[in-house]
Amino acid sequence: MKSNRRRLAVLGSTGSIGRQTLDVVRAYPDRFAVVALTARGNVDLLAEQAREFQPSLTVLTGGDPAALQRLRDALPETLATTSGLEGLTTAATLPDVDMVVAATSGLVGVLPTIAAIRAGKTIALANKETLVMAGHLVMAEAKRAGVAVLPVDSEHNALWQCLRGEDPATVRRLLITASGGPFLRLPLARMREMTPDQALNHPTWRMGPKVTIDSATLMNKGLEVIEAHWLYDMPYERIAVVVHPQSIIHSMVEYVDDSIKMQASIPNMHLPIQYALSYPERLDRAGTALALPLRWDEVAKLEFESADMERFPCLRLAYEAGVMGGSAPAALVGADETAVDLFLRGTIRLTDIALIVGETLQRHNIIASPGVEEVGAVSAWAQEEARRIAERLAGASLPPAGAER
Ligand SMILES: NC(=O)c1ccc[n+]([C@@H]2O[C@H](COP(=O)([O-])OP(=O)(O)OC[C@H]3O[C@@H](n4cnc5c(N)ncnc54)[C@H](OP(=O)(O)O)[C@@H]3O)[C@@H](O)[C@H]2O)c1
């Protein structure tokens, strides 16, 4: 019965999080229904998903008329299709949507997320940039509208599970775990020799190239610290990063009585997605295609150590940008995006990423409380600035931004 099912708009349904969200829907067809699906350019997968889940709206945001025509040709006439970025907001605010899964990559997720909040939709948030760059805007809107922003990212989801039922005033610290990435034990002196292939070889998680490099530099963990600051209204000095190479404990909360609560599971994104989708219920996974119980007798050891900010300066820079506040995180994200892209192209060294991001932050004139457009402008400025710094470091002009890798 459709009326008893939670009705979802999945923004970015063809991506890693989007596809895994649909796995959860597939596992619980009596609990969830899909009302809208969006992708940027992956027509074939979007059409396949639309045929399976029968949303009332399918959106292709890429703006390519031929691709839109291909989508229309591929879909039954009963499905509405639209294109362009405004389609994301249309999908996020449809009257029969209960929950918006914000799983696009990049800053493009911010406006539709804010529109969905204003329309009273619950948000299951995967999109990192939305909170890192525009956390002040998104959380203020959510507070005003009385809407919940539920984290999909495994670390924030773990914190949420540990915080549930507790008095926030009794929380001493949030402890975000980090696998440490492929270079956890590598001496600083050898970091600069690491190639993109070596950096892409993440020990526990399979993800896209940008986030995998961010995991190798611990920038990703720094972005998660900023997200945690906004989600849980926690000052930066009370958010710590703990390296935990096994990635079994996804984060921890330390309380004033010295208790530490941890959330453990096999590293896999289906669980945090499912938890956000079904909240406040926990759904039984036994017998579903998602079942993945953690066997304690197979966990040989759980190790924890402090994060080394000297060997991983990107983590320090993210903390600094968070404390600076205002538009500084947008500058951090913009500069990092360019620097990671140039590293993946083999233009700069791994260790140049932190140099470029640090210098860009130094040159940035912080805007105290930027609007969405200013956030976008700062991020674009930082990308350009990072490029100029990289050209100086490389001693040569670089191929145009956006060129094929
Ligand atoms: N993957 C993870 O395990 C993970 C974990 C935690 C948080 N996150 C965060 O979740 C977000 C999504 O991650 P992901 O790994 O799923 O990314 P992804 O695999 O790159 O997928 C991104 C999705 O967004 C669409 N998209 C990309 N650029 C767009 C644009 N400019 N306008 C509209 N749609 C666009 C893509 O469509 P096309 O396929 O058509 O290009 C795709 O559906 C990111 O912010 C990421 O940091 C990811």
Side-chain angles (χ1 to χ4, degrees):
M1 293 241 300
K2 191 160 182 158
S3 58
N4 290 333
R5 296 188 291 171
R6 188 159 281 170
R7 297 164 303 176
L8 311 176
V10 185
L11 312 186
S13 64
T14 52
S16 165
I17 296 290
R19 280 179 275 121
Q20 294 181 84
T21 299
L22 295 179
D23 290 341
V24 174
V25 174
R26 196 178 287 117
Y28 301 99
D30 53 336
R31 304 302 302 254
F32 306 110
V34 175
V35 176
L37 293 173
T38 85
R40 177 179 47 179
N42 191 341
V43 173
D44 294 337
L45 182 56
L46 182 63
E48 193 182 312
Q49 292 175 340
R51 275 192 295 269
E52 178 179 355
F53 293 98
Q54 295 286 309
S56 52
L57 179 67
T58 305
V59 181
L60 196 64
T61 59
D64 172 1
L68 183 65
Q69 192 52 51
R70 271 208 304 133
L71 180 68
R72 289 195 167 133
D73 292 345
L75 291 179
E77 283 173 8
T78 48
L79 295 175
T81 54
T82 180
S83 74
L85 279 183
E86 62 283 5
L88 281 178
T89 300
T90 309
T93 55
L94 288 174
D96 53 350
V97 165
D98 302 313
M99 177 182 269
V100 172
V101 181
T104 55
S105 43
L107 192 56
V108 72
V110 175
L111 280 177
T113 302
I114 289 179
I117 291 171
R118 287 183 180 152
K121 315 294 187 194
T122 304
I123 309 295
L125 187 67
N127 178 246
K128 225 157 239 184
E129 293 79 359
T130 293
L131 273 186
V132 173
M133 299 205 253
H136 59 296
L137 300 172
V138 171
M139 295 315 284
E141 285 291 347
K143 202 169 172 186
R144 238 190 317 270
V147 154
V149 177
L150 311 177
V152 160
D153 206 349
S154 57
E155 291 79 1
H156 305 95
N157 195 279
L159 291 172
W160 175 30
Q161 295 195 42
C162 295
L163 287 165
R164 205 170 152 185
E166 300 283 354
D167 176 356
T170 63
V171 174
R172 184 183 288 151
R173 286 194 306 164
L174 305 180
L175 307 170
I176 301 181
T177 54
S179 70
F183 307 139
L184 177 58
R185 309 268 171 242
L186 199 70
L188 183 58
R190 290 203 48 219
M191 285 279 189
R192 64 194 309 269
E193 302 156 21
M194 291 302 110
T195 65
D197 281 347
Q198 288 167 312
L200 286 171
N201 188 20
H202 194 276
T204 43
W205 294 95
R206 288 285 153 261
M207 304 171 292
K210 162 74 167 55
V211 63
T212 307
I213 301 304
D214 280 345
S215 297
T217 62
L218 292 201
M219 176 62 89
N220 187 49
K221 215 40 63 178
L223 301 182
E224 288 173 5
V225 167
I226 299 175
E227 286 182 275
H229 164 77
W230 289 115
L231 279 168
Y232 303 114
D233 194 19
M234 189 61 67
Y236 285 99
E237 66 273 16
R238 287 169 54 201
I239 308 174
V241 170
V242 176
V243 172
H244 164 51
Q246 291 79 21
S247 298
I248 294 289
I249 306 296
H250 299 298
S251 278
M252 319 182 233
V253 178
E254 183 182 317
Y255 288 90
V256 288
D257 63 356
D258 300 334
S259 285
I260 294 182
K261 282 171 83 174
M262 309 175 169
Q263 188 265 333
S265 56
I266 294 192
N268 180 291
M269 287 306 295
H270 284 133
L271 177 57
I273 293 170
Q274 168 181 330
Y275 187 80
L277 259 53
S278 69
Y279 176 80
E281 280 184 74
R282 279 189 191 272
L283 300 182
D284 188 351
R285 297 215 294 184
T288 72
L290 306 178
L292 198 59
L294 175 66
R295 299 265 318 256
W296 280 107
D297 49 350
E298 288 176 6
V299 178
K301 58 181 174 181
L302 298 174
E303 296 166 298
F304 301 97
E305 59 190 87
S306 299
D308 181 345
M309 300 241 195
E310 201 186 323
R311 279 190 314 120
F312 295 102
C314 285
L315 177 60
R316 176 179 48 76
L317 289 168
Y319 266 103
E320 286 173 5
V323 170
M324 287 176 207
S327 56
L332 177 92
V333 169
D336 181 58
E337 206 162 291
T338 295
V340 169
D341 181 59
L342 293 173
F343 170 67
L344 285 168
R345 290 167 190 275
T347 312
I348 61 168
R349 293 177 183 277
L350 182 73
T351 42
D352 290 339
I353 296 175
L355 292 178
I356 290 169
V357 173
E359 199 170 322
T360 306
L361 272 179
Q362 274 175 11
R363 293 183 187 188
H364 177 50
N365 293 318
I366 296 174
I367 304 168
S369 187
V372 177
E373 277 177 17
E374 284 171 311
V375 165
V378 166
S379 168
W381 167 85
Q383 290 180 19
E384 278 307 307
E385 198 62 31
R387 226 181 135 64
R388 278 190 283 275
I389 299 166
E391 282 186 324
R392 201 194 64 223
L393 286 175
S397 59
L398 304 175
E404 287 291 310
R405 266 183 211 137

